[in-house]
């Protein structure tokens, strides 16, 4: 299995902190956000390569970071240099697949999220289900739901549909940016793009996949801290206590 880490964004809401430095390499406690993520994932023994998808502006930062690791990390530069010219998450995924000729099961994660639970449980869930999978968490606030990807789930945890930023949410299940795609579904990402799948948000790929494959959704067993601005970064710095196994 390959782990694709989405890290090509420009984090403009965190300027000036991220104006010349990538958000996933910000420190939370004694580690970078990326270190928290990959060191946890690596305990699963399931991943044989970590692929960090970066923009051209921040690729040198990620290469320097990767050089200090014994883990198998590859940095892919998508060639973009500004927020206005970014490829979008779905095109970045396909770019990495094409550049590295990947034909594997893929764990795809946003590289700028801090978690207090282990993603190993998600990998194990996907193995049990034998399908491509997403995660979900309950959100009571209608305003937050309207800014998120909202899932519709049946009684067997099958993901029936996902809608990005719905005006009238059909459930309270939000979908965070952590996905498992079997190789069979990963091979269809190019087809999804050609079919008109929105390419900016990674959840848009799930919208398309729901219509073409069987997916399941695991309830998130802990909390996710999305660092969206300087205030939220400062709060995480003060309150984060690490991953609970």
């Amino acid at each position: 299995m390959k782990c694709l880490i989405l890290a090509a964004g420009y984090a403009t809401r965190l300027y000036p902190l991220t104006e010349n430095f990538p958000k996933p390499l910000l420190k939370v406690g004694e580690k970078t956000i990326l270190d928290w993520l990959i060191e946890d994932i690596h305990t699963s023994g399931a991943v044989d390569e970590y692929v960090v998808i970066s923009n051209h502006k921040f690729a040198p930062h990620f290469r320097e970071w990767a050089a200090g690791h014994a883990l198998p990390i590859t940095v892919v530069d998508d060639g973009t240099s500004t927020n206005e010219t970014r490829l979008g998450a779905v095109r970045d995924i396909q770019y990495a697949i094409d550049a590295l000729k990947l034909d594997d099961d893929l764990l795809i994660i946003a590289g700028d999220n801090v978690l207090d639970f282990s993603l190993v449980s998600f990998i194990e869930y996907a193995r049990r289900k034998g399908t491509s999978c997403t995660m979900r968490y309950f959100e009571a606030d209608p305003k937050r739901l309207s800014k998120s990807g909202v899932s519709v789930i049946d009684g067997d945890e099958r993901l029936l549909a996902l809608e990005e930023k719905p005006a009238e949410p059909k459930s309270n299940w939000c979908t965070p940016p952590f996905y498992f795609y079997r190789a069979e579904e990963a091979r269809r990402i190019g087809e999804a793009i050609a079919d008109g799948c929105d390419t900016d948000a990674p959840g848009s790929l799930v919208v398309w996949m729901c219509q073409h494959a069987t997916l399941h959704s695991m309830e998130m067993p802990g909390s996710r801290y999305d660092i969206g601005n300087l205030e939220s970064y400062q709060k995480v710095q003060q309150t984060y206590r690490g991953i609970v196994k």
Side-chain angles (χ1 to χ4, degrees):
M1 180 192 305
K2 311 298 184 190
C3 178
L4 267 59
I5 300 166
L6 302 174
Y10 291 86
T12 55
R13 290 184 297 161
L14 272 170
Y15 279 14
L17 190 62
T18 55
E19 190 166 5
N20 294 297
F21 192 79
K23 180 178 173 182
L25 294 185
L26 293 176
K27 280 199 168 184
V28 174
E30 75 275 18
K31 299 180 186 179
T32 69
I33 297 172
L34 264 189
D35 283 317
W36 282 112
L37 290 167
I38 67 168
E39 288 178 13
D40 166 54
I41 292 168
H42 206 65
T43 64
S44 71
V47 174
D48 57 23
E49 184 179 13
Y50 298 87
V51 178
V52 178
I53 309 168
S54 171
N55 57 55
H56 185 65
K57 181 178 180 180
F58 292 144
H61 292 279
F62 287 113
R63 291 196 182 103
E64 181 180 358
W65 165 81
H69 280 271
L71 297 178
I73 302 170
T74 301
V75 177
V76 173
D77 178 352
D78 75 0
T80 71
S81 296
T82 66
N83 191 53
E84 291 69 31
T85 60
R86 67 187 186 278
L87 296 183
V90 180
R91 288 192 185 278
D92 270 327
I93 293 166
Q94 188 60 47
Y95 185 90
I97 290 172
D98 292 341
L100 301 178
K101 297 180 172 56
L102 302 180
D103 189 23
D104 306 79
D105 291 343
L106 301 178
L107 176 65
I108 300 177
I109 67 173
D112 58 357
N113 282 245
V114 178
L115 307 177
D116 67 6
F117 64 92
S118 174
L119 280 170
V120 174
S121 61
F122 181 51
I123 295 170
E124 293 170 345
Y125 176 88
R127 283 173 166 168
R128 289 196 304 272
K129 291 297 185 182
T131 66
S132 293
C133 294
T134 66
M135 301 188 80
R136 59 190 162 93
Y137 63 92
F138 188 87
E139 177 56 68
D141 186 346
K143 290 184 179 180
R144 292 191 177 187
L145 286 169
S146 67
K147 297 177 181 179
S148 306
V150 177
S151 298
V152 177
I153 312 294
D154 72 8
D156 294 320
E157 299 186 330
R158 181 173 172 180
L159 179 60
L160 302 180
L162 185 141
E163 186 176 5
E164 283 285 347
K165 300 181 179 179
E168 297 182 4
K170 294 182 175 64
S171 82
N172 291 93
W173 292 119
C174 279
T175 305
F178 301 96
Y179 318 96
F180 171 81
Y181 289 113
R182 298 186 307 160
E184 292 91 325
E185 275 74 63
R187 294 185 195 114
R188 302 191 69 181
I189 296 174
E191 178 187 349
I193 294 171
D195 198 31
C197 168
D198 181 77
T199 55
D200 194 38
S204 298
L205 181 57
V206 180
V207 175
W208 188 91
M209 287 291 180
C210 283
Q211 302 167 20
H212 296 84
T214 298
L215 285 81
H216 287 86
S217 180
M218 171 186 163
E219 186 170 356
M220 207 166 70
S223 299
R224 159 184 170 252
Y225 305 87
D226 186 8
I227 300 171
N229 53 37
L230 289 170
E231 183 182 0
S232 60
Y233 178 51
Q234 291 165 356
K235 184 176 180 179
V236 169
Q237 288 278 51
Q238 295 167 0
T239 61
Y240 188 63
R241 296 295 178 265
I243 293 171
V244 178
K245 297 289 186 177

